[in-house]
PDB file of all heavy atoms in Angstrom:
ATOM      1  N   GLY A 117      -1.571 204.642 205.546  1.00  0.00           N
ATOM      2  CA  GLY A 117      -3.018 204.679 205.338  1.00  0.00           C
ATOM      3  C   GLY A 117      -3.817 205.295 206.467  1.00  0.00           C
ATOM      4  O   GLY A 117      -5.022 205.485 206.350  1.00  0.00           O
ATOM      5  N   HIS A 118      -3.148 205.615 207.597  1.00  0.00           N
ATOM      6  CA  HIS A 118      -3.863 206.314 208.668  1.00  0.00           C
ATOM      7  C   HIS A 118      -4.345 207.664 208.158  1.00  0.00           C
ATOM      8  O   HIS A 118      -3.710 208.268 207.297  1.00  0.00           O
ATOM      9  CB  HIS A 118      -2.913 206.570 209.837  1.00  0.00           C
ATOM     10  CG  HIS A 118      -2.776 205.401 210.748  1.00  0.00           C
ATOM     11  ND1 HIS A 118      -3.793 205.010 211.589  1.00  0.00           N
ATOM     12  CD2 HIS A 118      -1.757 204.548 210.966  1.00  0.00           C
ATOM     13  CE1 HIS A 118      -3.388 203.958 212.275  1.00  0.00           C
ATOM     14  NE2 HIS A 118      -2.160 203.638 211.904  1.00  0.00           N
ATOM     15  N   ALA A 119      -5.427 208.159 208.749  1.00  0.00           N
ATOM     16  CA  ALA A 119      -5.866 209.514 208.388  1.00  0.00           C
ATOM     17  C   ALA A 119      -4.815 210.504 208.901  1.00  0.00           C
ATOM     18  O   ALA A 119      -4.394 210.424 210.056  1.00  0.00           O
ATOM     19  CB  ALA A 119      -7.216 209.803 209.016  1.00  0.00           C
ATOM     20  N   PRO A 148     -10.544 209.926 212.790  1.00  0.00           N
ATOM     21  CA  PRO A 148     -10.538 208.613 213.444  1.00  0.00           C
ATOM     22  C   PRO A 148     -11.093 208.656 214.863  1.00  0.00           C
ATOM     23  O   PRO A 148     -11.062 209.700 215.521  1.00  0.00           O
ATOM     24  CB  PRO A 148      -9.047 208.239 213.473  1.00  0.00           C
ATOM     25  CG  PRO A 148      -8.414 209.083 212.453  1.00  0.00           C
ATOM     26  CD  PRO A 148      -9.221 210.331 212.333  1.00  0.00           C
ATOM     27  N   VAL A 149     -11.570 207.515 215.289  1.00  0.00           N
ATOM     28  CA  VAL A 149     -12.129 207.401 216.631  1.00  0.00           C
ATOM     29  C   VAL A 149     -11.069 207.813 217.657  1.00  0.00           C
ATOM     30  O   VAL A 149      -9.934 207.355 217.597  1.00  0.00           O
ATOM     31  CB  VAL A 149     -12.571 205.940 216.890  1.00  0.00           C
ATOM     32  CG1 VAL A 149     -13.215 205.823 218.262  1.00  0.00           C
ATOM     33  CG2 VAL A 149     -13.520 205.476 215.794  1.00  0.00           C
ATOM     34  N   GLU A 228     -17.877 209.379 215.639  1.00  0.00           N
ATOM     35  CA  GLU A 228     -16.703 209.263 214.760  1.00  0.00           C
ATOM     36  C   GLU A 228     -16.721 207.930 214.015  1.00  0.00           C
ATOM     37  O   GLU A 228     -16.422 207.870 212.823  1.00  0.00           O
ATOM     38  CB  GLU A 228     -15.411 209.410 215.598  1.00  0.00           C
ATOM     39  CG  GLU A 228     -15.198 210.831 216.112  1.00  0.00           C
ATOM     40  CD  GLU A 228     -14.140 210.956 217.206  1.00  0.00           C
ATOM     41  OE1 GLU A 228     -13.784 209.933 217.852  1.00  0.00           O
ATOM     42  OE2 GLU A 228     -13.675 212.084 217.452  1.00  0.00           O
ATOM     43  N   LEU A 229     -17.105 206.877 214.725  1.00  0.00           N
ATOM     44  CA  LEU A 229     -17.125 205.566 214.064  1.00  0.00           C
ATOM     45  C   LEU A 229     -18.274 205.452 213.064  1.00  0.00           C
ATOM     46  O   LEU A 229     -18.130 204.787 212.025  1.00  0.00           O
ATOM     47  CB  LEU A 229     -17.198 204.435 215.106  1.00  0.00           C
ATOM     48  CG  LEU A 229     -17.100 203.026 214.524  1.00  0.00           C
ATOM     49  CD1 LEU A 229     -15.845 202.842 213.667  1.00  0.00           C
ATOM     50  CD2 LEU A 229     -17.113 201.963 215.623  1.00  0.00           C
ATOM     51  N   ILE A 230     -19.397 206.102 213.340  1.00  0.00           N
ATOM     52  CA  ILE A 230     -20.544 206.024 212.414  1.00  0.00           C
ATOM     53  C   ILE A 230     -20.109 206.446 211.011  1.00  0.00           C
ATOM     54  O   ILE A 230     -20.470 205.818 210.012  1.00  0.00           O
ATOM     55  CB  ILE A 230     -21.724 206.895 212.922  1.00  0.00           C
ATOM     56  CG1 ILE A 230     -22.425 206.202 214.091  1.00  0.00           C
ATOM     57  CG2 ILE A 230     -22.734 207.161 211.789  1.00  0.00           C
ATOM     58  CD1 ILE A 230     -23.485 207.055 214.794  1.00  0.00           C
ATOM     59  N   LYS A 231     -19.324 207.513 210.935  1.00  0.00           N
ATOM     60  CA  LYS A 231     -18.914 208.011 209.612  1.00  0.00           C
ATOM     61  C   LYS A 231     -18.086 206.952 208.866  1.00  0.00           C
ATOM     62  O   LYS A 231     -18.317 206.660 207.695  1.00  0.00           O
ATOM     63  CB  LYS A 231     -18.117 209.310 209.777  1.00  0.00           C
ATOM     64  CG  LYS A 231     -17.503 209.848 208.512  1.00  0.00           C
ATOM     65  CD  LYS A 231     -18.546 210.286 207.493  1.00  0.00           C
ATOM     66  CE  LYS A 231     -17.912 210.528 206.142  1.00  0.00           C
ATOM     67  NZ  LYS A 231     -18.868 210.911 205.122  1.00  0.00           N
ATOM     68  N   TYR A 232     -17.115 206.357 209.558  1.00  0.00           N
ATOM     69  CA  TYR A 232     -16.275 205.339 208.897  1.00  0.00           C
ATOM     70  C   TYR A 232     -17.077 204.086 208.583  1.00  0.00           C
ATOM     71  O   TYR A 232     -16.890 203.445 207.539  1.00  0.00           O
ATOM     72  CB  TYR A 232     -15.072 204.979 209.781  1.00  0.00           C
ATOM     73  CG  TYR A 232     -13.978 206.014 209.717  1.00  0.00           C
ATOM     74  CD1 TYR A 232     -13.768 206.898 210.765  1.00  0.00           C
ATOM     75  CD2 TYR A 232     -13.155 206.122 208.600  1.00  0.00           C
ATOM     76  CE1 TYR A 232     -12.769 207.863 210.708  1.00  0.00           C
ATOM     77  CE2 TYR A 232     -12.162 207.073 208.525  1.00  0.00           C
ATOM     78  CZ  TYR A 232     -11.974 207.943 209.580  1.00  0.00           C
ATOM     79  OH  TYR A 232     -10.986 208.887 209.504  1.00  0.00           O
ATOM     80  N   ALA A 233     -17.970 203.720 209.505  1.00  0.00           N
ATOM     81  CA  ALA A 233     -18.771 202.510 209.274  1.00  0.00           C
ATOM     82  C   ALA A 233     -19.678 202.703 208.065  1.00  0.00           C
ATOM     83  O   ALA A 233     -19.856 201.794 207.245  1.00  0.00           O
ATOM     84  CB  ALA A 233     -19.589 202.189 210.522  1.00  0.00           C
ATOM     85  N   ALA A 234     -20.243 203.910 207.924  1.00  0.00           N
ATOM     86  CA  ALA A 234     -21.130 204.184 206.779  1.00  0.00           C
ATOM     87  C   ALA A 234     -20.336 204.080 205.477  1.00  0.00           C
ATOM     88  O   ALA A 234     -20.760 203.398 204.529  1.00  0.00           O
ATOM     89  CB  ALA A 234     -21.754 205.576 206.921  1.00  0.00           C
ATOM     90  N   ASN A 235     -19.187 204.738 205.433  1.00  0.00           N
ATOM     91  CA  ASN A 235     -18.409 204.694 204.191  1.00  0.00           C
ATOM     92  C   ASN A 235     -17.846 203.304 203.917  1.00  0.00           C
ATOM     93  O   ASN A 235     -17.773 202.866 202.771  1.00  0.00           O
ATOM     94  CB  ASN A 235     -17.286 205.745 204.226  1.00  0.00           C
ATOM     95  CG  ASN A 235     -17.802 207.116 203.791  1.00  0.00           C
ATOM     96  OD1 ASN A 235     -18.975 207.254 203.456  1.00  0.00           O
ATOM     97  ND2 ASN A 235     -16.938 208.106 203.793  1.00  0.00           N
ATOM     98  N   GLY A 236     -17.454 202.603 204.974  1.00  0.00           N
ATOM     99  CA  GLY A 236     -16.954 201.234 204.804  1.00  0.00           C
ATOM    100  C   GLY A 236     -18.041 200.345 204.222  1.00  0.00           C
ATOM    101  O   GLY A 236     -17.813 199.547 203.306  1.00  0.00           O
ATOM    102  N   TYR A 237     -19.259 200.515 204.724  1.00  0.00           N
ATOM    103  CA  TYR A 237     -20.375 199.675 204.259  1.00  0.00           C
ATOM    104  C   TYR A 237     -20.696 199.968 202.792  1.00  0.00           C
ATOM    105  O   TYR A 237     -20.877 199.049 201.981  1.00  0.00           O
ATOM    106  CB  TYR A 237     -21.614 199.914 205.125  1.00  0.00           C
ATOM    107  CG  TYR A 237     -22.705 198.941 204.790  1.00  0.00           C
ATOM    108  CD1 TYR A 237     -22.734 197.682 205.372  1.00  0.00           C
ATOM    109  CD2 TYR A 237     -23.675 199.251 203.844  1.00  0.00           C
ATOM    110  CE1 TYR A 237     -23.713 196.762 205.036  1.00  0.00           C
ATOM    111  CE2 TYR A 237     -24.650 198.336 203.493  1.00  0.00           C
ATOM    112  CZ  TYR A 237     -24.658 197.100 204.094  1.00  0.00           C
ATOM    113  OH  TYR A 237     -25.612 196.188 203.747  1.00  0.00           O
ATOM    114  N   ALA A 239     -18.744 201.282 200.520  1.00  0.00           N
ATOM    115  CA  ALA A 239     -17.632 200.824 199.678  1.00  0.00           C
ATOM    116  C   ALA A 239     -17.719 199.302 199.490  1.00  0.00           C
ATOM    117  O   ALA A 239     -17.456 198.763 198.411  1.00  0.00           O
ATOM    118  CB  ALA A 239     -16.295 201.206 200.317  1.00  0.00           C
ATOM    119  N   PHE A 288     -14.161 207.431 199.951  1.00  0.00           N
ATOM    120  CA  PHE A 288     -14.120 205.971 200.147  1.00  0.00           C
ATOM    121  C   PHE A 288     -12.693 205.398 200.207  1.00  0.00           C
ATOM    122  O   PHE A 288     -12.396 204.620 201.101  1.00  0.00           O
ATOM    123  CB  PHE A 288     -14.922 205.243 199.074  1.00  0.00           C
ATOM    124  CG  PHE A 288     -16.416 205.404 199.193  1.00  0.00           C
ATOM    125  CD1 PHE A 288     -17.256 204.954 198.199  1.00  0.00           C
ATOM    126  CD2 PHE A 288     -16.981 206.006 200.305  1.00  0.00           C
ATOM    127  CE1 PHE A 288     -18.633 205.102 198.304  1.00  0.00           C
ATOM    128  CE2 PHE A 288     -18.358 206.161 200.427  1.00  0.00           C
ATOM    129  CZ  PHE A 288     -19.181 205.708 199.411  1.00  0.00           C
ATOM    130  N   PRO A 289     -11.810 205.759 199.273  1.00  0.00           N
ATOM    131  CA  PRO A 289     -10.485 205.149 199.330  1.00  0.00           C
ATOM    132  C   PRO A 289      -9.751 205.451 200.638  1.00  0.00           C
ATOM    133  O   PRO A 289      -9.228 204.547 201.296  1.00  0.00           O
ATOM    134  CB  PRO A 289      -9.755 205.759 198.129  1.00  0.00           C
ATOM    135  CG  PRO A 289     -10.850 206.118 197.173  1.00  0.00           C
ATOM    136  CD  PRO A 289     -11.978 206.581 198.052  1.00  0.00           C
ATOM    137  N   LYS A 290      -9.743 206.720 201.044  1.00  0.00           N
ATOM    138  CA  LYS A 290      -8.985 207.043 202.263  1.00  0.00           C
ATOM    139  C   LYS A 290      -9.733 206.569 203.524  1.00  0.00           C
ATOM    140  O   LYS A 290      -9.102 206.144 204.485  1.00  0.00           O
ATOM    141  CB  LYS A 290      -8.686 208.540 202.332  1.00  0.00           C
ATOM    142  CG  LYS A 290      -9.843 209.408 202.761  1.00  0.00           C
ATOM    143  CD  LYS A 290      -9.408 210.857 202.989  1.00  0.00           C
ATOM    144  CE  LYS A 290     -10.595 211.752 203.332  1.00  0.00           C
ATOM    145  NZ  LYS A 290     -11.325 211.396 204.534  1.00  0.00           N
ATOM    146  N   ASP A 291     -11.059 206.598 203.479  1.00  0.00           N
ATOM    147  CA  ASP A 291     -11.793 206.212 204.689  1.00  0.00           C
ATOM    148  C   ASP A 291     -11.775 204.698 204.923  1.00  0.00           C
ATOM    149  O   ASP A 291     -11.750 204.236 206.065  1.00  0.00           O
ATOM    150  CB  ASP A 291     -13.241 206.735 204.640  1.00  0.00           C
ATOM    151  CG  ASP A 291     -13.287 208.264 204.764  1.00  0.00           C
ATOM    152  OD1 ASP A 291     -12.247 208.865 205.100  1.00  0.00           O
ATOM    153  OD2 ASP A 291     -14.350 208.851 204.514  1.00  0.00           O
ATOM    154  N   THR A 292     -11.773 203.917 203.836  1.00  0.00           N
ATOM    155  CA  THR A 292     -11.669 202.462 204.038  1.00  0.00           C
ATOM    156  C   THR A 292     -10.278 202.110 204.574  1.00  0.00           C
ATOM    157  O   THR A 292     -10.143 201.271 205.472  1.00  0.00           O
ATOM    158  CB  THR A 292     -11.938 201.683 202.731  1.00  0.00           C
ATOM    159  OG1 THR A 292     -11.256 202.325 201.653  1.00  0.00           O
ATOM    160  CG2 THR A 292     -13.417 201.604 202.420  1.00  0.00           C
ATOM    161  N   LEU A 293      -9.257 202.798 204.038  1.00  0.00           N
ATOM    162  CA  LEU A 293      -7.896 202.551 204.543  1.00  0.00           C
ATOM    163  C   LEU A 293      -7.797 202.914 206.020  1.00  0.00           C
ATOM    164  O   LEU A 293      -7.243 202.151 206.827  1.00  0.00           O
ATOM    165  CB  LEU A 293      -6.897 203.432 203.785  1.00  0.00           C
ATOM    166  CG  LEU A 293      -6.191 202.871 202.576  1.00  0.00           C
ATOM    167  CD1 LEU A 293      -5.177 203.874 202.060  1.00  0.00           C
ATOM    168  CD2 LEU A 293      -5.474 201.558 202.918  1.00  0.00           C
ATOM    169  N   ALA A 294      -8.335 204.087 206.353  1.00  0.00           N
ATOM    170  CA  ALA A 294      -8.258 204.535 207.750  1.00  0.00           C
ATOM    171  C   ALA A 294      -9.038 203.588 208.660  1.00  0.00           C
ATOM    172  O   ALA A 294      -8.571 203.239 209.754  1.00  0.00           O
ATOM    173  CB  ALA A 294      -8.787 205.962 207.871  1.00  0.00           C
ATOM    174  N   LEU A 295     -10.215 203.150 208.205  1.00  0.00           N
ATOM    175  CA  LEU A 295     -11.015 202.226 209.027  1.00  0.00           C
ATOM    176  C   LEU A 295     -10.251 200.916 209.270  1.00  0.00           C
ATOM    177  O   LEU A 295     -10.262 200.360 210.369  1.00  0.00           O
ATOM    178  CB  LEU A 295     -12.362 201.952 208.336  1.00  0.00           C
ATOM    179  CG  LEU A 295     -13.294 200.952 209.014  1.00  0.00           C
ATOM    180  CD1 LEU A 295     -13.578 201.337 210.468  1.00  0.00           C
ATOM    181  CD2 LEU A 295     -14.622 200.839 208.250  1.00  0.00           C
ATOM    182  N   MET A 296      -9.569 200.474 208.217  1.00  0.00           N
ATOM    183  CA  MET A 296      -8.758 199.259 208.341  1.00  0.00           C
ATOM    184  C   MET A 296      -7.700 199.439 209.442  1.00  0.00           C
ATOM    185  O   MET A 296      -7.526 198.580 210.303  1.00  0.00           O
ATOM    186  CB  MET A 296      -8.066 199.065 206.988  1.00  0.00           C
ATOM    187  CG  MET A 296      -7.574 197.723 206.688  1.00  0.00           C
ATOM    188  SD  MET A 296      -7.089 197.757 204.926  1.00  0.00           S
ATOM    189  CE  MET A 296      -5.332 197.894 205.098  1.00  0.00           C
ATOM    190  N   ARG A 297      -7.041 200.599 209.423  1.00  0.00           N
ATOM    191  CA  ARG A 297      -5.991 200.871 210.430  1.00  0.00           C
ATOM    192  C   ARG A 297      -6.582 201.031 211.832  1.00  0.00           C
ATOM    193  O   ARG A 297      -6.033 200.534 212.804  1.00  0.00           O
ATOM    194  CB  ARG A 297      -5.222 202.151 210.064  1.00  0.00           C
ATOM    195  CG  ARG A 297      -4.461 202.061 208.775  1.00  0.00           C
ATOM    196  CD  ARG A 297      -3.267 201.111 208.913  1.00  0.00           C
ATOM    197  NE  ARG A 297      -2.636 200.927 207.631  1.00  0.00           N
ATOM    198  CZ  ARG A 297      -2.406 199.749 207.051  1.00  0.00           C
ATOM    199  NH1 ARG A 297      -2.741 198.637 207.657  1.00  0.00           N
ATOM    200  NH2 ARG A 297      -1.839 199.680 205.879  1.00  0.00           N
ATOM    201  N   ILE A 298      -7.707 201.754 211.902  1.00  0.00           N
ATOM    202  CA  ILE A 298      -8.348 201.969 213.214  1.00  0.00           C
ATOM    203  C   ILE A 298      -8.689 200.602 213.824  1.00  0.00           C
ATOM    204  O   ILE A 298      -8.415 200.331 214.989  1.00  0.00           O
ATOM    205  CB  ILE A 298      -9.651 202.803 213.055  1.00  0.00           C
ATOM    206  CG1 ILE A 298      -9.330 204.231 212.622  1.00  0.00           C
ATOM    207  CG2 ILE A 298     -10.467 202.802 214.343  1.00  0.00           C
ATOM    208  CD1 ILE A 298     -10.545 205.030 212.137  1.00  0.00           C
ATOM    209  N   ALA A 299      -9.264 199.732 212.989  1.00  0.00           N
ATOM    210  CA  ALA A 299      -9.698 198.417 213.486  1.00  0.00           C
ATOM    211  C   ALA A 299      -8.496 197.570 213.899  1.00  0.00           C
ATOM    212  O   ALA A 299      -8.510 196.907 214.944  1.00  0.00           O
ATOM    213  CB  ALA A 299     -10.525 197.714 212.405  1.00  0.00           C
ATOM    214  N   GLU A 300      -7.439 197.617 213.075  1.00  0.00           N
ATOM    215  CA  GLU A 300      -6.228 196.847 213.417  1.00  0.00           C
ATOM    216  C   GLU A 300      -5.663 197.298 214.754  1.00  0.00           C
ATOM    217  O   GLU A 300      -5.360 196.494 215.628  1.00  0.00           O
ATOM    218  CB  GLU A 300      -5.156 197.050 212.339  1.00  0.00           C
ATOM    219  CG  GLU A 300      -5.320 196.140 211.140  1.00  0.00           C
ATOM    220  CD  GLU A 300      -4.463 196.595 209.962  1.00  0.00           C
ATOM    221  OE1 GLU A 300      -3.574 197.460 210.145  1.00  0.00           O
ATOM    222  OE2 GLU A 300      -4.712 196.102 208.863  1.00  0.00           O
ATOM    223  N   GLU A 301      -5.542 198.616 214.889  1.00  0.00           N
ATOM    224  CA  GLU A 301      -4.922 199.140 216.112  1.00  0.00           C
ATOM    225  C   GLU A 301      -5.771 198.899 217.339  1.00  0.00           C
ATOM    226  O   GLU A 301      -5.252 198.785 218.446  1.00  0.00           O
ATOM    227  CB  GLU A 301      -4.630 200.626 215.959  1.00  0.00           C
ATOM    228  CG  GLU A 301      -3.357 200.792 215.170  1.00  0.00           C
ATOM    229  CD  GLU A 301      -2.841 202.206 215.107  1.00  0.00           C
ATOM    230  OE1 GLU A 301      -3.432 203.093 215.750  1.00  0.00           O
ATOM    231  OE2 GLU A 301      -1.844 202.403 214.405  1.00  0.00           O
ATOM    232  N   ALA A 302      -7.080 198.819 217.125  1.00  0.00           N
ATOM    233  CA  ALA A 302      -7.965 198.575 218.276  1.00  0.00           C
ATOM    234  C   ALA A 302      -7.996 197.087 218.637  1.00  0.00           C
ATOM    235  O   ALA A 302      -8.660 196.691 219.589  1.00  0.00           O
ATOM    236  CB  ALA A 302      -9.364 199.073 217.952  1.00  0.00           C
ATOM    237  N   ALA A 304      -9.279 194.752 216.715  1.00  0.00           N
ATOM    238  CA  ALA A 304     -10.461 194.105 216.124  1.00  0.00           C
ATOM    239  C   ALA A 304     -10.402 194.256 214.611  1.00  0.00           C
ATOM    240  O   ALA A 304     -11.242 194.942 214.020  1.00  0.00           O
ATOM    241  CB  ALA A 304     -11.735 194.729 216.681  1.00  0.00           C
ATOM    242  N   PRO A 305      -9.366 193.653 213.971  1.00  0.00           N
ATOM    243  CA  PRO A 305      -9.177 193.898 212.532  1.00  0.00           C
ATOM    244  C   PRO A 305     -10.406 193.512 211.715  1.00  0.00           C
ATOM    245  O   PRO A 305     -11.080 192.534 212.025  1.00  0.00           O
ATOM    246  CB  PRO A 305      -7.973 193.015 212.167  1.00  0.00           C
ATOM    247  CG  PRO A 305      -7.739 192.112 213.321  1.00  0.00           C
ATOM    248  CD  PRO A 305      -8.394 192.716 214.520  1.00  0.00           C
ATOM    249  N   SER A 306     -10.675 194.311 210.677  1.00  0.00           N
ATOM    250  CA  SER A 306     -11.834 194.026 209.827  1.00  0.00           C
ATOM    251  C   SER A 306     -11.350 193.372 208.540  1.00  0.00           C
ATOM    252  O   SER A 306     -10.828 194.035 207.642  1.00  0.00           O
ATOM    253  CB  SER A 306     -12.578 195.324 209.490  1.00  0.00           C
ATOM    254  OG  SER A 306     -13.485 195.063 208.450  1.00  0.00           O
ATOM    255  N   LEU A 308     -13.208 192.104 206.328  1.00  0.00           N
ATOM    256  CA  LEU A 308     -14.073 192.550 205.232  1.00  0.00           C
ATOM    257  C   LEU A 308     -13.510 193.822 204.599  1.00  0.00           C
ATOM    258  O   LEU A 308     -13.375 193.918 203.379  1.00  0.00           O
ATOM    259  CB  LEU A 308     -15.475 192.853 205.770  1.00  0.00           C
ATOM    260  CG  LEU A 308     -16.474 191.724 205.782  1.00  0.00           C
ATOM    261  CD1 LEU A 308     -17.772 192.186 206.419  1.00  0.00           C
ATOM    262  CD2 LEU A 308     -16.744 191.244 204.361  1.00  0.00           C
ATOM    263  N   ILE A 309     -13.183 194.798 205.422  1.00  0.00           N
ATOM    264  CA  ILE A 309     -12.694 196.070 204.874  1.00  0.00           C
ATOM    265  C   ILE A 309     -11.324 195.879 204.223  1.00  0.00           C
ATOM    266  O   ILE A 309     -11.028 196.477 203.190  1.00  0.00           O
ATOM    267  CB  ILE A 309     -12.672 197.163 205.974  1.00  0.00           C
ATOM    268  CG1 ILE A 309     -14.102 197.428 206.473  1.00  0.00           C
ATOM    269  CG2 ILE A 309     -12.063 198.467 205.458  1.00  0.00           C
ATOM    270  CD1 ILE A 309     -15.086 197.933 205.426  1.00  0.00           C
ATOM    271  N   GLN A 310     -10.498 195.023 204.815  1.00  0.00           N
ATOM    272  CA  GLN A 310      -9.197 194.736 204.172  1.00  0.00           C
ATOM    273  C   GLN A 310      -9.416 194.217 202.756  1.00  0.00           C
ATOM    274  O   GLN A 310      -8.741 194.613 201.811  1.00  0.00           O
ATOM    275  CB  GLN A 310      -8.415 193.678 204.986  1.00  0.00           C
ATOM    276  CG  GLN A 310      -7.861 194.190 206.298  1.00  0.00           C
ATOM    277  CD  GLN A 310      -7.410 193.057 207.232  1.00  0.00           C
ATOM    278  OE1 GLN A 310      -7.442 191.883 206.851  1.00  0.00           O
ATOM    279  NE2 GLN A 310      -7.007 193.410 208.432  1.00  0.00           N
ATOM    280  N   VAL A 313     -10.595 196.970 200.283  1.00  0.00           N
ATOM    281  CA  VAL A 313      -9.494 197.830 199.839  1.00  0.00           C
ATOM    282  C   VAL A 313      -8.669 197.107 198.768  1.00  0.00           C
ATOM    283  O   VAL A 313      -8.394 197.657 197.692  1.00  0.00           O
ATOM    284  CB  VAL A 313      -8.599 198.226 201.043  1.00  0.00           C
ATOM    285  CG1 VAL A 313      -7.309 198.898 200.576  1.00  0.00           C
ATOM    286  CG2 VAL A 313      -9.367 199.154 201.984  1.00  0.00           C
TER     287      VAL A 313
END
Side-chain angles (χ1 to χ4, degrees):
H118 277 289
V149 183
E228 290 166 341
L229 185 55
I230 285 172
K231 173 65 193 178
Y232 282 105
N235 276 359
Y237 188 85
F288 289 171
K290 77 172 176 61
D291 291 349
T292 44
L293 266 184
L295 177 55
M296 200 170 102
R297 296 290 174 234
I298 292 167
E300 276 166 13
E301 280 188 4
S306 167
L308 270 177
I309 297 299
Q310 288 165 4
V313 169

